[in-house]
Amino acid sequence: MGRRKKTFDCGHQGYGRYCHRCRQKEEARAREAERRQAWRERLRDDPIELGHLPRRVVEKTRAILEGLRDGRDYTDYHGKRMHYDRTVISIPIGRSYRLICRDDPERGLVPVEALSHEAYNTRYVKGRT
Ligand SMILES: [Zn+2]
């Protein structure tokens, strides 16, 4: 009755017709690829590019964008108007990132871009105050 261990082509040992260790690894890899694909597809639906941001920053930004779309005020998110251009609004996304919006007279608040605090300083702050 004793089941005999065999060595598979991959070099692993085990019972059955195929290597369960390699099968599990394959399945995990497939799930991960699916997860990444779903993430990429979701990024295409965002009103601005978020793919360059860490995942948690993307989630936070989406929450803000959703809130703004639902009619919440940018000040609810501690956003402020830039002094050199009152139509530009900067909203902090945590400590290290900023969401830039433009206050359009016809369309209201229009998201422009989300960027790191460093990029933000270079593009929106330095030499402009
Ligand atoms: Zn194997």
Side-chain angles (χ1 to χ4, degrees):
M1 242 207 75
R3 292 208 299 161
R4 281 197 53 199
K5 249 188 188 178
K6 58 183 172 191
T7 304
F8 299 106
D9 290 344
C10 57
H12 292 134
Q13 290 191 330
Y15 303 102
R17 287 187 292 112
Y18 56 85
C19 172
H20 290 266
R21 277 170 72 178
C22 283
R23 176 65 67 90
Q24 264 177 0
K25 226 186 240 174
E26 245 168 64
E27 284 171 355
R29 213 176 293 140
R31 274 196 303 274
E32 174 60 25
E34 244 169 63
R35 220 172 50 78
R36 270 199 306 268
Q37 175 66 16
W39 181 252
R40 275 196 299 273
E41 274 168 26
R42 179 81 209 280
L43 283 169
R44 268 185 246 133
D45 295 334
D46 292 314
I48 53 172
E49 178 59 50
L50 300 178
H52 58 298
L53 305 173
R55 191 170 279 249
R56 69 181 173 81
V57 177
V58 170
E59 312 280 11
K60 268 189 199 169
T61 309
R62 279 180 184 152
I64 297 171
L65 289 170
E66 225 166 87
L68 295 174
R69 210 164 39 225
D70 290 347
R72 290 189 64 175
D73 199 78
Y74 65 89
T75 54
D76 291 349
Y77 301 101
H78 310 288
K80 48 185 187 190
R81 290 180 187 273
M82 303 302 283
H83 292 292
Y84 64 85
D85 183 344
R86 305 298 287 170
T87 68
V88 177
I89 289 158
S90 160
I91 302 171
I93 314 163
R95 285 167 186 273
S96 310
Y97 294 85
R98 294 290 181 278
L99 170 64
I100 303 299
C101 295
R102 195 167 275 281
D103 195 0
D104 186 277
E106 264 137 49
R107 296 157 66 203
L109 222 60
V110 181
V112 175
E113 64 175 331
L115 69 183
S116 73
H117 189 70
E118 291 76 30
Y120 164 77
N121 276 337
T122 306
R123 213 171 303 176
Y124 291 93
V125 181
K126 269 187 200 149
R128 306 191 71 160
T129 44

